[in-house]
Amino acid sequence: MQKLWSLLDHALFGQHSEGNAPLARLLRVLRYPYAITRDLLDSELTLRATSLVYITLLALIPLIALAFAILKAFGQQGELEPFLLEFFRPVGDGGPELVHRLMHFAAGVNVSLVGVFGLGLLLWTLVGTVNRVEDSMNYVWRVQRARSIPRRVVEFVTLVTLGPLVVVAVIGFSKIAIDSVANTHDFTFSAQAAHLAIRFAPYGIVIGLFTALYVMLPNTRVRFWPALGGGFAAGFFWVAIGKGFTGLVIHSSRLTLVYAGFAAVIAIFVWTYIGWLILLAGAQLAFYLQNPNYLRLGHAVLRLSNSEQERLALDIMARVAQGHRTGEPPWTVEQIGRALSLPGIAIADMTEHLERAGLLAQADDGKLFPGREITGITLADIITTARTRSTGHELHPRLSTPAVRQLQEEMERAWRSACGDRTLADLIETPAKYQSPA
């Protein structure tokens, strides 16, 4: 199997995939399904999809109850059921019964009876679900810094408040469109176009929902067109696989014979898992569309040599300091990655290490600033920080032979002598041009 993947890697990323020839262009397009398939076979994505299944089913009642309460204020609580029926349609005949019970439970949730502790537990479950989904999206987008707690609270309140309101707006728009078509008895082009639009409205809603999630959830800037590409692919596969799964459940008598009354429960678990896998795969495609330089690397760890790590640390600090001194827009991890032609994960790892050393500061929006005045940051500080990245296994100096220790001390004196008392401010004053952030 490893030979097959090596062969595909060589074919899709080799020299014959470069240029403007039709075959080269086709190979570059095939890199995307190759990378998505490789990542889906990786255990990390499947494990995250599995964990999301259980936390989703655990938070289903609180989520529906909260949406039910908000929609009830607008007199639209009954319109939540069609959306749930559409979501659980692939599970077959057990879907309507499940939705009926969920709506019954949601309608029966009484804040005064549940009490403060129970309501807090429901909200805690819901918040945990949103955080777990956000963490999975950050993993796909190689984001190592989660949102701050205040930002999470604001975005969570916005999501649970505006989400049901958007549902009300979609329901109202759909009703107006359906009524207008139903009252039209002609076969003009406009009437047929309206019929077609209503028929494909569920596809558009799913694609729009996925696109919005890909834009909002990762703690990084996601451009609209890559998010739309991932949302379109995920929405298409959601509908296509959902129909196939529905047919499989309906025509599979063995499932009912083996699991009896639990057949619907098993189908719900499987479909929820498939749904999260599709969602994560779409997010992965959006990431690759925005960052094609990751297609070959995937989630593999990029290992830099010691000299490369030192140069990377100096490059990061020099660019950030130069932008800070000239008043240009601050750099971000993604912009430095593009400038150095390196994956953002390598930049993020080094910036995190520099930040822990107090040499760099990163705002909540990802912008980078010097950790202190650049005249007080010596080049020796930066190189020492890059050189002292521990792997967790320390080699005690006294265990080495005297000759080895002597050589290491000479090398240490040599590079410290080369740095001298030079600071970061001295480095950026050296005649050199650092391009502005893209």
Side-chain angles (χ1 to χ4, degrees):
M1 192 65 181
Q2 187 64 34
K3 291 184 178 180
L4 175 61
W5 286 110
S6 299
L7 180 62
L8 290 174
D9 183 271
H10 178 72
L12 297 176
F13 296 94
Q15 294 182 353
H16 44 278
S17 64
E18 304 298 332
N20 295 322
L23 178 60
R25 293 181 179 180
L26 176 62
L27 290 175
R28 289 197 294 270
V29 171
L30 292 177
R31 291 175 180 177
Y32 292 92
Y34 161 80
I36 298 297
T37 304
R38 178 199 60 207
D39 294 339
L40 286 177
L41 293 177
D42 179 26
S43 59
E44 183 69 23
L45 277 183
T46 55
L47 285 176
R48 288 182 177 272
T50 303
S51 67
L52 287 171
V53 170
Y54 296 103
I55 197 169
T56 300
L57 297 179
L58 184 64
L60 198 56
I61 294 296
L63 180 61
I64 295 175
L66 189 59
F68 187 90
I70 297 177
L71 291 175
K72 189 176 181 179
F74 295 88
Q76 300 288 340
Q77 67 273 18
E79 304 298 341
L80 185 63
E81 190 168 355
F83 280 83
L84 295 175
L85 286 171
E86 185 65 27
F87 178 80
F88 288 109
R89 183 186 301 275
V91 303
D93 297 334
E97 177 65 20
L98 173 67
V99 172
H100 176 72
R101 290 183 178 274
L102 288 175
M103 292 295 296
H104 178 72
F105 291 151
V109 174
N110 191 317
V111 176
S112 61
L113 294 178
V114 171
V116 177
F117 177 76
L119 183 61
L121 184 62
L122 293 179
L123 291 177
W124 175 81
T125 304
L126 195 56
V127 171
T129 303
V130 175
N131 289 342
R132 187 68 62 85
V133 175
E134 181 188 343
D135 291 341
S136 297
M137 288 293 178
N138 285 338
Y139 167 77
V140 169
W141 281 84
R142 282 72 165 174
V143 177
Q144 296 184 337
R145 290 174 59 93
R147 287 177 171 86
S148 62
I149 294 180
R151 279 189 67 189
R152 285 192 172 193
V153 171
V154 171
E155 292 177 359
F156 172 76
V157 172
T158 303
L159 177 65
V160 300
T161 304
L162 296 182
L165 299 181
V166 173
V167 171
V168 172
V170 172
I171 292 172
F173 177 78
S174 301
K175 282 186 174 181
I176 294 174
I178 292 174
D179 293 340
S180 63
V181 174
N183 295 330
T184 304
H185 300 286
D186 57 21
F187 295 93
T188 60
F189 175 78
S190 59
Q192 296 302 314
H195 275 291
L196 190 64
I198 292 175
R199 181 179 178 183
F200 287 98
Y203 299 86
I205 292 174
V206 172
I207 292 172
L209 176 62
F210 284 178
T211 302
L213 290 177
Y214 297 157
V215 171
M216 294 187 300
L217 285 182
N219 189 27
T220 186
R221 180 177 175 271
V222 180
R223 296 196 296 271
F224 173 74
W225 290 112
L228 180 61
F232 184 85
F236 173 79
F237 279 101
W238 176 283
V239 175
I241 295 178
K243 289 183 177 180
F245 187 78
T246 302
L248 178 64
V249 172
I250 292 176
H251 295 95
S252 179
S253 58
R254 293 183 179 179
L255 185 64
T256 305
L257 290 175
V258 174
Y259 294 102
F262 294 97
V265 177
I266 299 299
I268 290 169
F269 270 89
V270 174
W271 170 243
T272 308
Y273 171 76
I274 293 174
W276 279 119
L277 209 57
I278 293 173
L279 182 72
L280 294 178
Q284 192 74 74
L285 177 60
F287 172 80
Y288 285 137
L289 290 173
Q290 184 167 319
N291 304 278
N293 56 321
Y294 274 90
L295 280 167
R296 190 169 195 176
L297 181 65
H299 284 276
V301 178
L302 181 65
R303 302 188 182 279
L304 299 177
S305 66
N306 291 337
S307 62
E308 289 172 335
Q309 291 184 15
E310 293 171 9
R311 187 167 71 248
L312 176 60
L314 289 168
D315 259 320
I316 292 173
M317 294 301 301
R319 291 174 190 275
V320 171
Q322 181 74 18
H324 180 70
R325 166 166 287 188
T326 59
E328 297 175 352
W331 288 82
T332 64
V333 169
E334 292 78 10
Q335 291 166 346
I336 294 179
R338 288 197 296 270
L340 298 177
S341 297
L342 282 175
I345 189 65
I347 309 297
D349 189 39
M350 180 58 73
T351 56
E352 183 179 357
H353 192 63
L354 292 169
E355 187 177 8
R356 285 199 300 267
L359 303 179
L360 200 65
Q362 186 170 9
D364 287 339
D365 57 1
K367 292 177 178 166
L368 301 173
F369 302 91
R372 56 179 185 264
E373 180 58 42
I374 59 176
T375 55
I377 301 177
T378 65
L379 300 185
D381 291 337
I382 301 173
I383 296 178
T384 300
T385 301
R387 289 169 64 91
T388 56
R389 301 179 66 191
S390 175
T391 60
H393 301 280
E394 296 184 2
L395 179 61
H396 201 284
R398 288 182 297 180
L399 299 180
S400 301
T401 62
V404 171
R405 292 202 305 270
Q406 181 180 355
L407 175 61
Q408 190 175 23
E409 290 171 359
E410 292 174 358
M411 295 168 61
E412 188 82 9
R413 287 194 297 269
W415 75 260
R416 286 188 177 275
S417 175
C419 291
D421 296 328
R422 296 169 64 193
T423 66
L424 183 59
D426 298 327
L427 179 66
I428 63 176
E429 288 174 358
T430 303
K433 293 188 178 295
Y434 299 96
Q435 61 185 38
S436 301

